[in-house]
Amino acid sequence: MTGIVNDPSHELDEVLIKDSILIFPNSTGSSVGAYSIYTLKKNGVSPKCIICTSRVDITTASGCAIADIPLFQILDQNYKIKSGQYGIVGGIIPVLKIKTD
Amino acid sequence: MLLTKVEEKALSGQYGTPTMLAHKILLSIGEATDASKLVPVKWAHLSGANFNTIGDAGLDFLKSISNETKFSIFTTINPMGYDRNKPEFVSDEFRIKQKDITDAYEQMGVVPSYSCTPYEIFDMPPKNTMVSFAESNAAVISNSIFGLLTNKESALSALASAITGKAPYSELRVEEFRHPKERIMMADCDLSNELEYGMLGYFAGKEVKGSSVAIDGTRHLDLINAKSLSASIGTSGYCGMFTNQSPEGQVETITYDKAERVKVFDELSTAEDGDIIALGSPQLGLDELNKVALSVDNKKFTKPCMIFCARSIYEKARMTQISQKIEKAGAKIICDACTCLTPLITRDCYDGVITNSVKASYYLNKSNKIPVCLMDIKKILKNYVS
């Protein structure tokens, strides 16, 4: 696992998520996604932190728990964050955002 | 979330690293899902058995905890990557790493079921029993058809439950969250076979925001259609339960019509044809194997065919000559594994896969990068058996 998104149908296809602030609504699909988050960390290519905009789901929460990746939820749906901005999580790091609508 | 004194000690590491990590996972999920406490669960069903899904990092993690802990409750497990009795089909490297994973789980006390359909193998506990099921089709069908109480667990949350015997008291374990606030209504859709239910489920999983949904037209579901619907709901979204009962109070209505059906089909069916038939995601049950056997008796598959089922189902099928008929027709029956993410079906070997499984189609397209021709089982057996 390289930390590079590999999904031609996705807006972040071919983007490296290493050391980013990764923002998405919530995870879907396979229950082994939790191990994927852990693998990203072990391979040194994980995001610095993850922010869920819809709900913090069980897969993301459990993966972040053992990978020690800070995990947040945005409760204010009027937030304004865009890809290309920078945030501070123990250093200034770029924001990667997946559309929530 | 309130922890007992014993749970706080476990979280601080007083009972060893695996128990500490398990409590850390459960606490994190509990906080995320607004749980008030941890509650006992009777049965954990794990995912994360296939080396292709958890990789070296997952393997190292399991090895590191397997010497220090035992599962405290009845624990079963999902398919791994290959058939233990047919190791010649995979590389030595894969087989060795896969065996390390199953050894680690078995050392912790897992029942080596290697099946994604525990509900077809084991006696189901009474309704309202708390369980922790990671396999999404098993979680959805257990909540919806068998009346068990589980969230749609992750591989790690079910593992944490297996170690501690507990799970957060939240979401679908709480009665009020099992009452749907969304309802799917049919418009001009003919739910005539398992593929149609699979596509409906995929649509539902994508559209529904809550953990539970009411779906019209699911009152008289047989197990085959319920499996297909549950597997595809679990594939595309977060929802972990469907019900056929009319929801009370104000609900959001979502319409599933022919146009939506076409959208789902066009997204998942990406090839006109394929060079292998793959059946079994979820793994086929005895009824499904029997239907295949009846259609292929004294005939041959015209394309290579792999059929995935649990070993205990295969053994039952042997006793009634079902598996012999299928194998005589030229199909390979694979136990312990399933269509999704097995090294037996790769882009290097195949240009396209024919299947009736929406779940398999999603993962073959997305992960294996193999185009898929979706077709219901009746049509597959009509078109590719003679």
Side-chain angles (χ1 to χ4, degrees):
Chain A
M1 202 169 281
T2 60
I4 296 171
V5 178
N6 179 14
D7 181 355
S9 67
H10 199 279
E11 66 197 88
L12 292 184
D13 187 35
E14 297 185 0
V15 170
L16 177 67
I17 62 171
K18 182 186 174 186
D19 293 340
S20 66
I21 298 172
L22 186 64
I23 304 176
F24 53 83
N26 56 265
S27 80
T28 62
S30 177
S31 57
V32 292
Y35 274 108
S36 303
I37 293 171
Y38 181 68
T39 300
L40 287 170
K41 181 65 181 255
K42 286 286 155 189
N43 289 359
V45 290
S46 64
K48 278 274 194 242
C49 83
I50 290 177
I51 302 175
C52 290
T53 56
S54 169
R55 56 146 57 97
V56 175
D57 60 89
I58 290 171
T59 295
T60 307
S62 55
C64 287
I66 66 157
D68 278 327
I69 295 174
L71 174 61
F72 305 95
Q73 181 177 9
I74 288 183
L75 297 172
D76 178 4
Q77 290 303 308
N78 296 318
Y79 68 90
K80 288 175 182 164
I81 309 173
K82 287 191 285 195
S83 279
Q85 289 183 324
Y86 288 79
I88 298 174
V89 183
I92 296 173
I93 50 181
V95 169
L96 295 174
K97 183 189 163 199
I98 294 168
K99 279 178 195 158
T100 56
D101 51 5
Chain B
M1 187 172 73
L2 281 176
L3 295 180
T4 64
K5 288 208 162 50
V6 171
E7 288 160 358
E8 278 179 4
K9 279 184 186 174
L11 188 64
S12 71
Q14 287 192 38
Y15 305 130
T17 304
T19 306
M20 182 272 287
L21 287 172
H23 278 81
K24 192 177 169 189
I25 289 167
L26 296 179
L27 179 65
S28 176
I29 293 164
E31 294 291 342
T33 57
D34 293 327
S36 53
K37 58 185 175 181
L38 295 177
V39 288
V41 292
K42 294 275 187 198
W43 178 1
H45 182 80
L46 308 179
S47 62
N50 184 345
F51 176 70
N52 271 356
T53 61
I54 69 167
D56 286 309
L59 167 57
D60 292 345
F61 172 72
L62 290 170
K63 269 187 181 169
S64 73
I65 64 167
S66 62
N67 286 327
E68 292 182 54
T69 191
K70 294 275 181 210
F71 295 146
S72 64
I73 54 172
F74 180 64
T75 302
T76 53
I77 192 161
N78 248 10
M80 55 161 167
Y82 72 103
D83 186 322
R84 280 170 293 173
N85 290 357
K86 296 170 184 165
E88 65 276 16
F89 294 154
V90 293
S91 70
D92 285 349
E93 189 195 354
F94 183 89
R95 187 176 46 74
I96 290 164
K97 290 194 167 177
Q98 180 62 81
K99 188 168 182 311
D100 284 349
I101 291 172
T102 53
D103 283 351
Y105 280 121
E106 288 177 29
Q107 195 175 335
M108 289 186 276
V110 84
V111 176
S113 51
Y114 302 115
S115 170
C116 48
T117 57
Y119 47 87
E120 290 189 306
I121 299 174
F122 300 102
D123 291 334
M124 295 302 272
K127 281 187 176 181
N128 296 319
T129 301
M130 300 265 187
V131 298
S132 182
F133 282 5
E135 162 56 36
S136 54
N137 97 79
V140 176
I141 206 167
S142 296
N143 277 321
S144 313
I145 304 292
F146 297 103
L148 305 186
L149 309 181
T150 180
N151 282 327
K152 193 164 157 276
E153 300 295 341
S154 80
L156 290 171
S157 67
L159 182 71
S161 290
I163 293 169
T164 61
K166 294 174 183 177
Y169 185 56
S170 60
E171 297 197 339
L172 290 170
R173 291 198 179 87
V174 181
E175 180 62 27
E176 65 172 284
F177 289 97
R178 297 173 70 86
H179 297 290
K181 296 192 169 48
E182 292 154 282
R183 175 185 191 176
I184 293 188
M185 295 185 76
M186 306 296 140
D188 301 329
C189 278
D190 178 20
L191 297 174
S192 56
N193 57 55
E194 79 292 346
L195 175 58
E196 294 298 333
Y197 279 99
M199 291 196 291
L200 166 64
Y202 189 79
F203 171 81
K206 265 192 164 180
E207 293 296 320
V208 172
K209 296 178 197 80
S211 299
S212 175
V213 60
I215 304 182
D216 288 2
T218 56
R219 192 170 291 274
H220 303 294
L221 270 184
D222 64 17
L223 193 63
I224 293 173
N225 290 333
K227 273 172 80 173
S228 182
L229 180 66
S230 300
S232 53
I233 286 179
T235 297
S236 59
Y238 189 78
C239 180
M241 179 178 174
F242 68 85
T243 171
N244 58 37
Q245 286 164 3
S246 299
E248 292 162 8
Q250 273 228 315
V251 291
E252 186 187 335
T253 300
I254 302 162
T255 303
Y256 180 65
D257 57 18
K258 276 183 180 163
E260 296 293 351
R261 182 207 174 276
V262 167
K263 257 195 243 172
V264 172
F265 187 80
D266 288 347
E267 178 189 335
L268 296 170
S269 190
T270 48
E272 294 289 311
D273 202 352
D275 41 18
I276 184 167
I277 300 159
L279 304 176
S281 177
Q283 291 171 324
L284 297 196
L286 201 57
D287 276 357
E288 291 160 289
L289 287 177
N290 192 35
K291 282 188 176 176
V292 174
L294 289 172
S295 299
V296 302
D297 199 13
N298 293 318
K299 294 179 185 168
K300 290 276 182 198
F301 280 98
T302 57
K303 287 183 185 271
C305 177
M306 279 191 201
I307 294 178
F308 296 85
C309 69
R311 183 164 301 282
S312 56
I313 297 289
Y314 177 69
E315 282 163 5
K316 280 184 190 164
R318 276 193 73 74
M319 288 194 291
T320 46
Q321 298 294 311
I322 289 172
S323 60
Q324 288 90 330
K325 283 180 192 165
I326 294 170
E327 286 166 330
K328 204 176 154 196
K332 281 194 180 82
I333 300 182
I334 310 287
C335 300
D336 309 321
C338 104
T339 313
C340 294
L341 294 161
T342 173
L344 302 171
I345 302 176
T346 65
R347 190 72 176 88
D348 292 340
C349 302
Y350 302 105
D351 291 324
V353 178
I354 301 154
T355 185
N356 65 337
S357 164
V358 162
K359 179 179 180 177
S361 174
Y362 177 83
Y363 287 108
L364 286 166
N365 274 305
K366 289 267 182 195
S367 298
N368 302 44
K369 311 285 181 198
I370 307 178
V372 174
C373 172
L374 261 183
M375 203 178 277
D376 67 76
I377 185 75
K378 211 170 162 186
K379 214 176 208 176
I380 291 175
L381 295 171
K382 186 176 167 224
N383 290 358
Y384 301 107
V385 176
S386 65

